[in-house]
Amino acid sequence: MKSSLLVQWLRCSAFLILLGLVPGISSAEEFLEPERAFQLQAELHDSKSLILTWAIAKDYHLYRERLNFKADAPDIVLGKPALPDGIRKFDENFNKTVEIYEKKLLVELPVTKVEHAFTLTITYQGCADAGLCYPPVDQRFRVDPLIPGKLTLLTDASANTASTVTTPTPAVKELAENEDDSSLAQRTLQSGSLWRIGIAFLVFGLLLSFTPCVLPMVPILSSIIVGEGSVSRSRGFLLALSYCLGMALIYTLMGVAAGLAGEGLAGSLQKPWVLLTFSALLIGLALSMFDVYQLQLPAGLQSRLSQASG
């Protein structure tokens, strides 16, 4: 039984080694930041019309249905944006046919009712052709109907200053609260408090332990403990603790490796030769479970482990 545990440990170690050998995983610079991949410029053509221009980098594309325009004041009425026809293609990320834009996108956004300055929030989402999809991006511009020309992108500090002039609507408040909730994990990691991070990950780990994918581990762990014969509670607890800590260590190392790899990890793992490599590895392990061949340690090493455990 102990040799089978060591085999499982070696399998996980081999997976980590293979993950580290995949070229390009550690090069997050392979993919552009969303603001560079989709460079947005906004211009107030006149008091009734806005011109929005995206310069889309090569091998990237924007989704038509992910474009959204919203004013922060309820008395500002935006017209229907004039969107050009895009390229229709089947997208594997959404598993449906979508309309995308490449190279450049020009949108005319009419403002049918404007009486004062307001903040315009433009939401868009795009992907790289290599398979990396970015989360939706929000960019805010201050629009003054009396000052035509190129609009200035608002930073967080300037957006907070603008919010003191215009009272946010309940919908805007709710959006801000949702954004705060979604960044809870990020704020926890940035706090630098070891106790806070540890407690947060303990809670997240307990929640993950109730997911269906963890249930197959229960009989495996039970068979390991029962295989020891008549064991005391402390012995059973130590066996379960050592097994769980080993699994936690492996997944922690994998999580750290994925975090250090950045956004380039998703695109690199979706390359055909990487998928074929992992498929071959899984098929090989499956054949071992069907007794096509025996995947075990060398006999000499097994005898040494048996002597050491004896």
Side-chain angles (χ1 to χ4, degrees):
M1 186 62 66
K2 292 183 179 179
S3 62
S4 64
L5 282 177
L6 186 56
V7 170
Q8 292 180 8
W9 180 270
L10 291 176
R11 288 178 179 177
C12 294
S13 301
F15 174 77
L16 286 177
I17 294 174
L18 179 61
L19 185 64
L21 292 178
V22 175
I25 285 184
S26 59
S27 60
E29 294 81 12
E30 182 179 350
F31 294 97
L32 300 174
E33 294 294 330
E35 291 77 12
R36 293 180 56 193
F38 315 103
Q39 299 181 19
L40 172 61
Q41 291 186 355
E43 180 181 356
L44 180 63
H45 186 261
D46 51 47
S47 60
K48 298 295 183 180
S49 177
L50 288 165
I51 303 297
L52 310 175
T53 306
W54 279 268
I56 305 172
K58 184 181 179 181
D59 298 329
Y60 291 80
H61 57 267
L62 277 176
Y63 293 104
R64 177 189 177 116
E65 62 181 23
R66 297 291 176 171
L67 294 172
N68 187 38
F69 312 95
K70 185 177 182 181
D72 66 337
D75 57 342
I76 302 297
V77 180
L78 300 178
K80 184 178 181 180
L83 298 174
D85 294 333
I87 303 173
R88 298 185 63 85
K89 60 173 289 188
F90 181 81
D91 191 275
E92 297 180 353
N93 300 303
F94 298 99
N95 197 27
K96 64 177 183 180
T97 301
V98 296
E99 199 167 349
I100 63 172
Y101 298 107
E102 297 178 342
K103 296 181 180 180
K104 186 177 181 180
L105 171 61
L106 180 64
V107 177
E108 182 178 356
L109 179 64
V111 184
T112 57
K113 182 181 180 181
V114 55
E115 298 178 354
H116 55 79
F118 65 95
T119 299
L120 174 67
T121 301
I122 303 174
T123 304
Y124 59 88
Q125 184 179 13
C127 291
D129 295 344
L132 174 65
C133 271
Y134 298 95
V137 178
D138 292 335
Q139 290 193 346
R140 298 173 176 85
F141 295 88
R142 191 65 178 170
V143 182
D144 191 339
L146 301 179
I147 306 177
K150 185 178 179 180
L151 304 181
T152 303
L153 178 66
L154 295 179
T155 60
D156 293 337
S158 58
N160 293 333
T161 304
S163 64
T164 60
V165 179
T166 304
T167 303
T169 62
V172 175
K173 291 181 179 179
E174 181 180 357
L175 177 60
E177 292 174 357
N178 293 336
E179 290 178 351
D180 292 339
D181 294 338
S182 64
S183 61
L184 176 61
Q186 182 179 0
R187 293 202 309 271
T188 302
L189 291 174
Q190 292 176 348
S191 65
S193 173
L194 182 60
W195 288 103
R196 184 176 177 182
I197 295 175
I199 293 175
F201 275 83
L202 176 61
V203 174
F204 294 151
L206 291 176
L207 293 177
L208 288 175
S209 66
F210 293 102
T211 55
C213 60
V214 182
L215 296 181
M217 295 292 103
V218 176
I220 295 177
L221 181 56
S222 301
S223 65
I224 293 174
I225 298 176
V226 174
E228 291 287 324
S230 179
V231 296
S232 60
R233 291 185 178 180
S234 59
R235 177 65 176 172
F237 175 77
L238 289 176
L239 288 174
L241 181 64
S242 60
Y243 183 85
C244 295
L245 287 179
M247 296 294 292
L249 177 61
I250 291 298
Y251 283 113
T252 299
L253 294 176
M254 293 172 60
V256 171
L260 294 177
E263 295 176 345
L265 177 64
S268 299
L269 290 180
Q270 293 182 15
K271 293 181 178 179
W273 75 270
V274 176
L275 297 177
L276 291 175
T277 302
F278 281 115
S279 299
L281 179 62
L282 293 176
I283 292 174
L285 296 177
L287 293 177
S288 145
M289 298 181 67
F290 284 103
D291 292 332
V292 176
Y293 67 95
Q294 293 294 328
L295 180 62
Q296 56 184 0
L297 294 174
L301 185 55
Q302 288 187 21
S303 61
R304 292 182 182 178
L305 290 175
S306 299
Q307 292 175 3
S309 62

